[in-house]
Amino acid sequence: MDITYKNKRIKRICTNASIAERTYGREMADKIHQRIDQIIASDTVEMMIQYRIGRCHILKHDRRGQYALDLVHPYRLIFEKNGSDIQIAKILEITDYH
């Protein structure tokens, strides 16, 4: 899949390991970049859900249409998909939504 980002800040965190480490710490930065690599390697979001890649799951209620990947507990990488044949993941945020 291809990836787009909600804003420049989230793009810098997801594409630059040193910025991610300064913002969230080493363990979290490693996990963020692992999840980004998994999204890129996957063909579809449905495949990620089926094979439990990153514990990918659909969100409900006020986050309908969004998906989450586990990071370091309790944080999640939130994204939504665009397109049906060729999917593009749009990274929205890194948050603890619990």
Side-chain angles (χ1 to χ4, degrees), residues 80-92:
E80 60 189 15
K81 72 175 181 175
N82 296 328
S84 56
D85 294 336
I86 298 173
Q87 292 186 358
I88 300 170
K90 181 178 181 183
I91 307 297
L92 301 174

Side-chain angles (χ1 to χ4, degrees), residues 34-49:
Q34 176 185 2
R35 297 301 183 222
I36 295 297
D37 290 343
Q38 289 171 333
I39 291 171
I40 292 169
S42 299
D43 292 330
T44 64
V45 173
E46 291 75 14
M47 183 181 109
M48 293 179 70
I49 293 170

Side-chain angles (χ1 to χ4, degrees), residues 42-59:
S42 299
D43 292 330
T44 64
V45 173
E46 291 75 14
M47 183 181 109
M48 293 179 70
I49 293 170
Q50 179 182 359
Y51 294 108
R52 307 282 296 157
I53 297 169
R55 215 172 80 74
C56 185
H57 54 282
I58 300 171
L59 300 178

Side-chain angles (χ1 to χ4, degrees), residues 13-50:
I13 289 169
C14 292
T15 58
N16 188 319
S18 63
I19 292 173
E21 188 172 341
R22 265 187 274 137
T23 306
Y24 291 105
R26 179 64 179 248
E27 182 181 8
M28 182 79 148
D30 290 344
K31 192 60 79 169
I32 290 168
H33 291 278
Q34 176 185 2
R35 297 301 183 222
I36 295 297
D37 290 343
Q38 289 171 333
I39 291 171
I40 292 169
S42 299
D43 292 330
T44 64
V45 173
E46 291 75 14
M47 183 181 109
M48 293 179 70
I49 293 170
Q50 179 182 359

